[in-house]
Amino acid sequence: MKTNKKTTIQDVANYCKVAKSTVSLVINGNARVSKATRDRIFNAIELLDYKPNLNARSLKNNRNRTLGVISEDLANQYESSIIKGIADRAKFHNYELIICECEWSQEKVANYIEVLLQRKCEGIIITTPLDIGPVLEEKLQMLKNNNIPYVTILNGNVKTDYNAFVSDDEQGLSLALDHLYQLGHTRMALIAGYRDARATIVKEKIFIQYMKGLGTFDPNLIHYTDFQPEGGAMATRKCLAMPMAPTAFIAAGDMIAIGILHAVKSQGLKVPEQISIIGFGGIDLLRYTDPPLSSVNVPRRIIGEMAVENLFKQIRKTEEKIATYTVVPTSLLLRGSTAMIGTI
Amino acid sequence: MKTNKKTTIQDVANYCKVAKSTVSLVINGNARVSKATRDRIFNAIELLDYKPNLNARSLKNNRNRTLGVISEDLANQYESSIIKGIADRAKFHNYELIICECEWSQEKVANYIEVLLQRKCEGIIITTPLDIGPVLEEKLQMLKNNNIPYVTILNGNVKTDYNAFVSDDEQGLSLALDHLYQLGHTRMALIAGYRDARATIVKEKIFIQYMKGLGTFDPNLIHYTDFQPEGGAMATRKCLAMPMAPTAFIAAGDMIAIGILHAVKSQGLKVPEQISIIGFGGIDLLRYTDPPLSSVNVPRRIIGEMAVENLFKQIRKTEEKIATYTVVPTSLLLRGSTAMIGTI
DNA sequence: TTGAAAGCGCTAACAA
DNA sequence: TTGTTAGCGCTTTCAA
């Protein structure tokens, strides 16, 4: 029972007794229309409450001021900081965002890329801790071949051929390891995430390398989880039950670190006096645990902003190819969960 | 330098030597096409990698399988749970989401409503802790008058004429107050949010009423904040410095509660032994404070889901008017931040 | 300075 | 069972 048909450009034209092309010129700020008619038209637009149909416009222009975003999980702090950065810049440019959630599935990512393309998004941002497998790779290649503006936001500086902003997880993990080592720790555990996630793989690599360098590598000190606190807690309990329990824990994600903290405390151990913990990501809520958790800070919001700006560069100059591979350094966010070994 | 023009329905038709309308019929699953040609067409679609242009389609249909979402803050836990629920159901129905962030501004909300309308979203969900002022009211009235599917997600059971899912903040706050009262508390503080937010107003009303009933109402025990921990902490310090400090705190939001907890602890006071605290919202991270914070749980995700389903009801039957006003009850999420007064 | 006309890619009535 | 045709609402030549 939709009542009032939306007024169209034709209605405005009729009302003003001009051609709709004239109205179009006025709307689009073209100067070559006399002030008189322009005023008349603006007036009618106001009066008839005319709003251009953006679908029609974009059918014509093949542009629709829309960016597509594919993210792991909208309720995840790490991701939502990135999205916040994206939203900020999109707003600034007066673009809208179509946001999709891909839930740890390459297939869903691939699928959404198609959907966003069909919807004629002008660019696509893909942010995922997943590793890039063949399904996704094929799509990315397609985007690249067709010069479709896109950016990926990935973990870990593994050179890929795709436009990417990558947080330097290698450097981040080294930072964390160095820090712990300087505090006297030599037996550290890595509580990672999904085994096949890029956010796990990269950290694992550095961790193994570092521990081997130290000569204290023990494969039993690497555990895989679902990136959630519960999983982190479980892995921690296992570690603590070992005959030679670790004195420090590094988490592949902040939620894991929260789980570690809980498990350690519930065993009656003191953080950081007896056990040191470092998270990864730097989400805000770590401020509010007790003690506040130290973490490797990934400038998530800024990454989101950079991704959008890069996308716009690609959108604007379709002539030359703007390949991007930017490694974003991380930093140590020291709060209160690490200390010299055996402080107690 | 966009190279390969996307293949259109015409290309497929040409390739198969049929009319594009036939292709259209096949795409849309219309039965009245011979199996032979249908197969031929499917084949060509595959071969030419044809993907329908959704903009064109929606120009024709005036429907585009898109829902608009206007939310306060994408990085806010409370909101992102709601959005998660929305995203889930949208996915289920194979709809995409255009998500806008309105940042405590009625004007922005009003503005985005227009944008989403121009983009021909089939429905709009507005979720905001703001109170509905004249600017927004006018737009909502417009949506209503024009039978445009929309739902608001609001705080507090204040009867409005608009489609709404409201968390029963009155009942929630009463729950919290009763609980504290039963524990022997009579001197409680309300740390609210922005003074003019609906999420503040409703709670304030109940709080005042309740405390007056108790005969212990003290206006100095109501403070306003920006809904963030820092603000909560500041207000708490002020309360604790009073000659007759409160023994219990109620927060208008969970982030505030976190700030309260910090301030109380940093004054050397024990929670819950000396001071009880209750948050509002029930966000997950409260599990991980020390002690875990009790809170009034608002079923945010479910509210998001219900909002989408309701929207679809409106979208499907445009004939009859589906007015909705659903009050969603809250519950007490008791963790470890409240105790009998003077336990110590 | 303005208008006429074509067309973006699709759907849907109607005809064949 | 298939093709023809006329738009959806807009932009953009080209002509007047």
Side-chain angles (χ1 to χ4, degrees), chain A residues 270-288:
Chain A
K270 292 246 176 292
V271 178
E273 293 83 351
Q274 291 169 284
I275 301 280
S276 287
I277 304 173
I278 295 190
F280 207 106
I283 64 177
D284 217 51
L285 73 93
L286 296 192
R287 263 180 226 284
Y288 307 109

Side-chain angles (χ1 to χ4, degrees), chain B residues 173-194:
Chain B
L173 206 75
S174 300
L175 239 38
L177 286 161
D178 279 345
H179 172 67
L180 292 174
Y181 180 69
Q182 279 158 21
L183 291 172
H185 297 274
T186 52
R187 202 161 164 76
M188 314 146 188
L190 173 69
I191 313 299
Y194 290 122

Side-chain angles (χ1 to χ4, degrees), chain A residues 1-4 6 51-56 58-59 64-66 73-75 77 80 83-84 87-88 91 96-101 103 112 114-115 118-120 145-147 229 258 262 265 285 287-290 318-319, chain B residues 1-4 6 51-56 58-59 64-66 73-75 77 80 83-84 87-88 91 96-101 103 112 114-115 118-120 145-147 229 258 262 265 285 287-290 318-319:
Chain A
M1 210 196 62
K2 293 272 167 61
T3 46
N4 68 330
K6 261 292 189 190
K51 302 275 162 51
N53 178 332
L54 263 29
N55 276 323
S58 70
L59 175 57
N64 63 4
R65 300 190 81 82
T66 281
D73 176 0
L74 301 180
Q77 295 271 291
S80 59
I83 293 181
K84 184 96 180 172
D88 261 19
K91 234 177 288 181
E96 257 67 64
L97 256 28
I98 299 186
I99 304 183
C100 310
E101 205 181 29
E103 299 165 315
Y112 278 129
E114 282 300 342
V115 171
Q118 283 189 56
R119 291 194 178 275
K120 301 295 169 198
N145 293 342
N146 294 351
N147 268 303
I258 288 175
H262 265 243
K265 282 166 71 177
L285 73 93
R287 263 180 226 284
Y288 307 109
T289 54
D290 187 11
T318 36
E319 299 311 317
Chain B
M1 211 196 62
K2 293 271 168 60
T3 47
N4 68 332
K6 261 290 189 193
K51 301 276 161 49
N53 178 331
L54 262 30
N55 275 324
S58 71
L59 175 57
N64 63 4
R65 300 191 81 81
T66 282
D73 176 0
L74 301 179
Q77 295 271 290
S80 56
I83 292 182
K84 184 96 179 172
D88 262 18
K91 233 177 288 181
E96 257 66 65
L97 256 27
I98 299 186
I99 304 182
C100 309
E101 203 181 32
E103 298 165 316
Y112 278 128
E114 282 300 343
V115 171
Q118 284 189 56
R119 291 195 179 275
K120 302 296 169 198
N145 292 342
N146 294 350
N147 269 302
I258 287 175
H262 264 242
K265 281 167 71 176
L285 74 94
R287 264 179 226 283
Y288 307 109
T289 55
D290 186 14
T318 35
E319 299 310 318

